[in-house]
Every structure is written in C-alpha cells, then in structure tokens.
Amino acid sequence: MNNILQFMKRNYKIILVVIALSVGLWSFIPKEKSSDPEKDKMLIELLTFVIEKGHYSPATIDDTFSKGVYKDYLNAIDPSKRFFMQSDIDEFAKYETQIDDQIKNKDLSFFDLTYSRLMKRMDESKEYYKLALDKPFDYKKQESINTDYEKLPFAKNVSELKERWRLQVKLSTLSSLVEKQKLEEDLVKDKSKTLEEKLKEYREAQGANLTPEAEKKFIADTEKRKTRLLKPMNN
C-alpha cells in the first residue's frame, strides 16, 4: 500500500491526465442512452478529493498546477509531435491556465477538444503514411531527421507534417533493413561456430545461474536449429 501511495504522490499529474482523459473518452463511446453529466461530475469530484485530501502531500489546484498538467498531457498524447500542428497547439493554449478551473467546475471542454482533434489528426495521418510508401526510398540520398522530440517544434502546416512522416517512415524502414542485415550476419557467424564454442559462450553468459537442465535444453535446441538449416540443402 505504501508503494502505491508513494507512486501516486510522485505522479499525481499523470494520474490526473489519465483519469480526466478516461472521462473524456467515456463521453465519446456510443451508448444506448445519452451520457450522464452527473457521472462525469462525480468522477471529477472524486479526482479532486484524491488530489487535495489523499493520504499524501496535497496538491493545490491552481494555475501552476494547470500549466504542469497541460504540458504533461500534450506530451503524453503526442510525444513525437506527429499528429498535432502548431495551429492546434495555438488553439489549445488558451486552456493552459484554465484546467484547474475546469476541474473545479466539472468541465471537460479541454479534454474533449484535444481528444476529438487527436482522433481527427490520427485519421489524417493514415494518408500521410500511405503517401510516404508510394515511392521507393532513395537510401543514397543524404537526409536528416530530428528525433529530439522534446525540442522539436510542432509542424507549421500539412506539408511540413507530411514531410515529417515521410522521413520517419524512411528511418523506420532503414532501421528494419539494418536490423535484418545484422541478423543475417549473426546467423552466418553462428553457422561457422561449433557446438562446443556455442556452449562455451552460453555457459559464460549464464554464469552461476546455469543448471544442468538448462544446458541440456540449450544443446537440444542448438541441434534442432542446425537440422532445420541443413534440410533445404539436403532436399
């Protein structure tokens, strides 16, 4: 229990974000009956009580708190800045110091707005992804991509966002190719090793944790892999 309370103490802003977003998501799920606004208010009231009256250092819900939640929340839902544009952030900015007031007033406007906009941008990004794969990538062309997302500004427009997606997809594809090449090279190296060499490496890696049963299983698995690799050659 103490560990849980300590976690809540350290991460109360993130807990707020998760619960508040959950409430926002709940209001977007189709239901047979309309959403109950009293239930939304009750959840926010419960959240407020936990933050202010819980069994750990209480947090004052003020503008400073609001700014912290605003920053953490946007970082959480678009950490790599591939969905929102600067125009979205400019629109959200008016809520930076209003989240505390919205919590107190049981108002979910900010979370509803950001959620609906995120869903819209994510849907649009599907087209950006397809466009990125329309033409083969030129891996000889020198290009760079900024992966310091914390310092990376949001895209100014759709064209810039599309280019960001193209570079990200190219990087992901190139990383996959490099990883595949490395696996193939490792496989070639592994083929040239004798069972004794592999067993020696395995023993060194396991150290004091090695058991006779584990060693027998390693030998059996190694022999099976060798058999599977030799089958195509014998057919």
Side-chain angles (χ1 to χ4, degrees):
M1 178 60 71
N2 289 334
N3 289 338
I4 295 175
L5 293 176
Q6 286 299 318
F7 173 82
M8 293 174 70
K9 178 180 178 181
R10 293 192 304 269
N11 299 278
Y12 66 87
K13 288 182 182 178
I14 298 301
I15 293 172
L16 170 64
V17 169
V18 172
I19 296 178
L21 180 58
S22 298
V23 174
L25 293 177
W26 180 84
S27 66
F28 279 86
I29 298 175
K31 308 176 185 67
E32 294 181 1
K33 297 181 180 180
S34 60
S35 176
D36 182 1
E38 291 303 314
K39 182 178 290 187
D40 290 348
K41 289 182 179 180
M42 181 186 70
L43 288 171
I44 294 296
E45 286 173 348
L46 176 61
L47 174 62
T48 304
F49 174 83
V50 169
I51 292 173
E52 292 186 330
K53 309 294 184 180
H55 300 294
Y56 53 92
S57 301
T60 302
I61 300 182
D62 54 14
D63 285 354
T64 300
F65 176 87
S66 180
K67 289 179 181 180
V69 171
Y70 176 85
K71 180 181 178 181
D72 292 344
Y73 174 74
L74 291 180
N75 285 341
I77 62 176
D78 190 13
S80 57
K81 299 179 180 177
R82 284 188 290 167
F83 300 111
F84 291 137
M85 290 184 287
Q86 186 58 51
S87 58
D88 297 317
I89 302 303
D90 292 341
E91 185 178 350
F92 301 156
K94 65 181 180 181
Y95 293 100
E96 187 175 9
T97 58
Q98 295 181 17
I99 297 174
D100 56 318
D101 299 316
Q102 290 196 348
I103 291 174
K104 294 172 183 176
N105 296 323
K106 293 73 179 173
D107 182 358
L108 293 171
S109 300
F110 171 67
F111 297 103
D112 286 346
L113 171 63
T114 51
Y115 172 77
S116 60
R117 186 63 53 81
L118 179 63
M119 293 300 102
K120 181 176 184 293
R121 296 300 184 219
M122 289 179 72
D123 188 58
E124 293 170 348
S125 70
K126 295 176 183 177
E127 184 63 26
Y128 306 156
Y129 182 79
K130 290 179 182 178
L131 286 172
L133 294 174
D134 271 353
K135 297 179 181 179
F137 292 116
D138 182 2
Y139 295 111
K140 295 181 180 180
K141 182 180 180 181
Q142 293 292 325
E143 293 184 297
S144 63
I145 180 172
N146 186 355
T147 56
D148 187 354
Y149 301 122
E150 187 174 348
K151 296 180 180 179
L152 181 70
F154 284 92
K156 297 176 182 177
N157 49 51
V158 173
S159 296
E160 191 173 312
L161 196 58
K162 287 180 179 179
E163 177 63 8
R164 190 169 294 184
W165 269 89
R166 185 189 70 81
L167 290 172
Q168 186 65 54
V169 174
K170 180 179 180 179
L171 175 63
S172 299
T173 305
L174 183 60
S175 297
S176 297
L177 290 173
V178 171
E179 184 177 354
K180 182 180 179 182
Q181 184 179 7
K182 185 178 183 303
L183 287 173
E184 290 176 348
E185 290 174 353
D186 290 344
L187 184 60
V188 171
K189 292 179 181 178
D190 192 62
K191 283 182 181 179
S192 63
K193 293 179 182 176
T194 64
L195 176 59
E196 289 72 19
E197 290 174 329
K198 295 177 183 178
L199 186 56
K200 180 182 178 182
E201 291 179 355
Y202 179 72
R203 287 170 176 165
E204 291 175 350
Q206 294 298 308
N209 297 321
L210 182 64
T211 63
E213 292 76 15
E215 184 171 308
K216 288 180 181 179
K217 185 176 184 304
F218 174 81
I219 294 173
D221 291 343
T222 302
E223 291 294 342
K224 285 180 181 179
R225 285 196 296 271
K226 181 179 178 181
T227 302
R228 285 197 297 268
L229 291 171
L230 290 173
K231 274 185 178 180
M233 298 176 60
N234 295 331
N235 285 342

